């Protein structure tokens, strides 16, 4: 028991590396917030563009969405991080992580918003258009408000899953929680920092997971 | 343009890296064959526990599910692989991946199975039991087949996520698809091997992603 405590809950190690873990938390929060904003806005924008049903553009959107849904984020991160410098484009690792995760979230968000838009019965479109609303106005005032409500629960869960991927940043040296924790672990030769990192993630994500659970029952998506 | 093609689509380097990458693909297949069935079995167990009649058991299951949904899988994997040895528990990368994925996947599959089982009316249970079926028979022959059909898109989509997630095994030096490609990249200073690996992931998963979109739309409609 004391060996266990000494390995995972060693007070001096905890005290020493607390600032590093807190710094990591700040970085994780920063990336997560930026990813959520960029990803959801881009996803919504793509879904709106897709609703105009312009064939050539929609093919491009579908290719983008499918690609980013099918590829593991870590593959994309390594591809961008190691590939771009070799063709003369230097991007800091923080920006690479943000860019890749935002695009992945945008792809999933587009799919979810689009499913929401499709689930609005055609009669709503026709009724709105017949009152003289333009296509865009119908979309903005009639269809989207309903579609977005349907999208909330699946989007919340997907967003949580993707923001958790900020931990992948450690592979390219972004100083987020996991990165700080593994560095501290190898300096101290003790597993306490890893435990601290795990607790830090729990503190950040348990509230969001519980919120997601609440939204799921609240907005009950496609209960058959 | 020339530099871009050289850097990302260098066929000579791709050909050179191909044997290594195919070996990696084999490892990825092995990982999938281990973690997907384990996750499904664990998920079913978690779902049944979370539908228990005892409130305390139910709450414990929900707490465990949320715990593992809140921890990034990579954190879990690194904890198992490089944290536990400090406590004297040492294991191979493959065993670490299997354990970390079991913990993580059981929560996700568990939530899906639970939703599926809940979507089957309780009358089905009662009817099945009243014909003389035992509880496990009612579950296996009556409730589960309907439950699985109701949540099939979610099951398939989660399985795609699991297959994608096996790429994090590269972080603990398990020579799967991404690890092999990254090895080839670091030897050749060229990103083409990773593009090749990406193409393989895409070829395997794109058809399934398309299928999921279809399935989801049919249910939404």
């Amino acid at each position: 028991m004391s060996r266990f405590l000494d390995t995972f809950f060693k007070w001096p190690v905890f005290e020493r590396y607390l600032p590093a873990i807190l710094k990591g938390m700040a970085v994780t929060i920063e990336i997560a917030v930026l990813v959520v904003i960029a990803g959801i806005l881009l996803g919504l924008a793509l879904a709106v563009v897709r609703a105009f049903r312009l064939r050539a553009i929609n093919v491009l959107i579908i290719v983008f969405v499918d690609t980013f849904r099918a590829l593991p984020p870590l593959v994309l991160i390594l591809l961008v991080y190691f590939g771009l410098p070799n063709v003369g484009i230097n991007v800091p690792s923080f920006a690479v992580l943000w860019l890749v995760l935002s695009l992945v979230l945008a792809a999933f968000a587009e799919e979810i918003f689009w499913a929401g838009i499709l689930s609005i019965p055609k009669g709503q479109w026709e009724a709105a258009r017949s009152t003289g609303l333009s296509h865009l106005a119908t979309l903005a005032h009639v269809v989207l408000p309903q579609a977005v409500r349907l999208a909330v629960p699946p989007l919340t869960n997907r967003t949580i899953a993707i923001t958790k991927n900020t931990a992948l940043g450690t592979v390219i040296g972004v100083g987020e929680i996991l990165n700080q924790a593994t560095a501290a672990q190898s300096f101290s030769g003790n597993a306490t920092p890893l435990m601290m990192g795990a607790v830090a993630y729990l503190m950040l994500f348990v509230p969001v997971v519980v919120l997601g659970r609440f939204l799921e029952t609240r907005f009950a998506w496609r209960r058959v | 343009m020339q530099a871009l093609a050289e850097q990302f689509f260098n066929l000579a380097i791709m050909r050179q890296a191909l044997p290594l990458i195919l070996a990696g693909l084999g490892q990825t297949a092995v990982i999938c064959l281990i973690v997907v069935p384990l996750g499904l079995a664990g998920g079913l167990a978690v779902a049944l526990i979370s539908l228990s009649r005892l409130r305390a058991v139910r709450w414990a299951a929900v707490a465990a599910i949320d715990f593992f949904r809140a921890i990034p899988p990579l954190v879990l994997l690194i904890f198992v692989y490089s944290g536990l040895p400090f406590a004297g528990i040492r294991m191979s990368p493959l065993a670490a991946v299997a354990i970390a994925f079991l913990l993580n996947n059981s929560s996700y599959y568990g939530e899906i199975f639970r939703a599926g089982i809940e979507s089957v009316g309780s009358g089905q249970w009662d009817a099945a039991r009243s014909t003389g079926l035992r509880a496990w028979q009612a579950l296996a022959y009556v409730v589960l087949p309907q439950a699985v059909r109701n949540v099939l898109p979610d099951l398939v989509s989660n399985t795609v996520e699991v297959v994608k997630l096996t790429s994090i095994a590269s972080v603990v030096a398990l020579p799967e698809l991404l690890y092999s490609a990254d090895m080839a990249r670091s030897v050749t200073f060229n990103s083409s091997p990773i593009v090749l690996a990406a193409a393989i992931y895409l070829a395997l998963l794109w058809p399934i992603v398309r299928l999921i979109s279809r399935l989801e739309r049919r249910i939404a409609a």
Side-chain angles (χ1 to χ4, degrees), chain A:
Chain A
M1 190 62 206
S2 89
R3 184 178 173 200
F4 174 79
L5 285 180
D6 234 34
T7 307
F8 292 107
F9 298 96
K10 199 171 183 177
W11 180 252
V13 177
F14 175 85
E15 242 179 341
R16 174 127 183 247
Y17 290 104
L18 186 61
I21 301 284
L22 288 177
K23 212 173 92 196
M25 274 178 96
V27 174
T28 295
I29 292 173
E30 196 181 342
I31 303 179
V33 169
L34 292 176
V35 164
V36 169
I37 294 173
I40 291 182
L41 285 182
L42 180 59
L44 183 60
L46 288 175
V48 167
V49 171
R50 194 167 167 186
F52 284 89
R53 297 179 190 270
L54 304 167
R55 183 145 235 171
I57 292 175
N58 281 9
V59 167
L60 289 180
I61 293 179
I62 292 171
V63 168
F64 161 75
V65 167
D66 281 6
T67 308
F68 279 83
R69 290 208 309 165
L71 282 180
L74 189 54
V75 173
L76 292 164
I77 289 171
L78 294 185
L79 199 56
V80 175
Y81 184 70
F82 290 113
L84 290 188
N86 286 340
V87 288
I89 306 168
N90 271 307
V91 192
S93 54
F94 182 97
V96 170
L97 184 62
W98 169 77
L99 179 71
V100 168
L101 293 185
S102 299
L103 291 176
V104 171
L105 178 57
F108 279 99
E110 191 280 338
E111 222 17 55
I112 292 170
F113 284 126
W114 179 239
I117 292 175
L118 280 189
S119 71
I120 306 302
K122 230 182 167 151
Q124 302 243 356
W125 280 97
E126 289 163 357
R129 292 304 303 276
S130 72
T131 64
L133 289 183
S134 68
H135 189 88
L136 190 62
T138 305
L139 194 61
H141 299 300
V142 179
V143 175
L144 275 185
Q146 305 179 68
V148 166
R149 196 161 315 152
L150 284 173
V152 167
L155 192 58
T156 315
N157 284 332
R158 188 55 76 176
T159 304
I160 296 170
I162 290 170
T163 45
K164 270 166 39 188
N165 279 337
T166 50
L168 297 178
T170 189
V171 178
I172 56 170
V174 177
E176 44 67 64
I177 300 173
L178 182 58
N179 192 268
Q180 303 282 1
T182 47
Q185 176 192 245
S186 51
F187 283 137
S188 64
N190 184 281
T192 306
L194 267 190
M195 186 61 91
M196 293 164 72
V199 171
Y201 277 108
L202 286 176
M203 282 165 56
L204 291 184
F205 284 106
V206 164
V208 213
V209 168
V210 172
L211 175 74
R213 190 180 277 287
F214 167 76
L215 289 175
E216 214 163 47
T217 40
R218 187 64 206 283
F219 288 73
W221 167 251
R222 62 166 201 232
R223 270 288 141 83
V224 206

Side-chain angles (χ1 to χ4, degrees), chain B:
Chain B
M1 200 58 219
Q2 184 70 34
L4 211 66
E6 279 283 293
Q7 178 58 27
F8 291 102
F9 301 98
N10 192 320
L11 290 179
I13 287 180
M14 283 188 184
R15 202 167 306 135
Q16 223 180 337
L18 190 63
L20 187 64
I21 288 182
L22 287 181
L25 178 61
Q27 272 294 322
T28 293
V30 170
I31 301 174
C32 290
L33 288 177
I34 294 173
V35 298
V36 171
L38 268 182
L40 285 169
L44 188 57
V46 167
L48 292 177
I49 295 171
S50 69
L51 290 167
S52 156
R53 238 168 291 163
L54 299 170
R55 179 176 291 173
V57 174
R58 266 198 325 259
W59 281 65
V62 169
I65 290 173
D66 282 357
F67 180 89
F68 286 112
R69 287 206 303 176
I71 296 236
L74 184 58
V75 175
L76 203 56
L77 178 59
I78 288 185
F79 195 90
V80 172
Y81 184 69
S82 64
L84 291 187
F86 284 96
I89 306 168
R90 234 164 262 284
M91 59 187 91
S92 69
L94 189 59
V97 167
I99 291 177
F101 273 60
L102 174 65
L103 294 173
N104 176 65
N105 293 343
S106 299
S107 303
Y108 281 94
Y109 279 126
E111 280 293 283
I112 297 170
F113 277 125
R114 189 179 55 78
I117 294 174
E118 277 177 347
S119 73
V120 178
S122 63
Q124 298 277 336
W125 274 106
D126 301 338
R129 293 305 303 277
S130 73
T131 62
L133 292 184
R134 292 171 187 283
W136 70 268
Q137 289 173 318
L139 181 72
Y141 300 127
V142 179
V143 177
L144 269 188
Q146 303 182 65
V148 167
R149 204 176 44 207
N150 288 349
V151 291
L152 196 58
D154 292 326
L155 281 176
V156 177
S157 133
N158 195 53
T159 305
V160 169
E161 291 304 310
V162 174
V163 173
K164 283 160 62 181
L165 197 60
T166 57
S167 60
I168 67 170
S170 61
V171 179
V172 294
L174 187 69
E176 45 72 72
L177 182 50
L178 180 57
Y179 184 85
S180 315
D182 197 46
M183 281 270 281
R185 176 200 61 76
S186 62
V187 174
T188 59
F189 296 105
N190 187 289
S191 290
S192 304
I194 298 191
V195 172
L196 181 57
I200 294 176
Y201 279 114
L202 210 55
L204 292 176
L205 296 177
W206 192 347
I208 313 180
V209 166
R210 275 286 85 216
L211 180 75
I212 296 167
S213 290
R214 285 258 186 89
L215 283 174
E216 278 175 347
R217 211 145 296 154
R218 210 183 53 200
I219 285 185

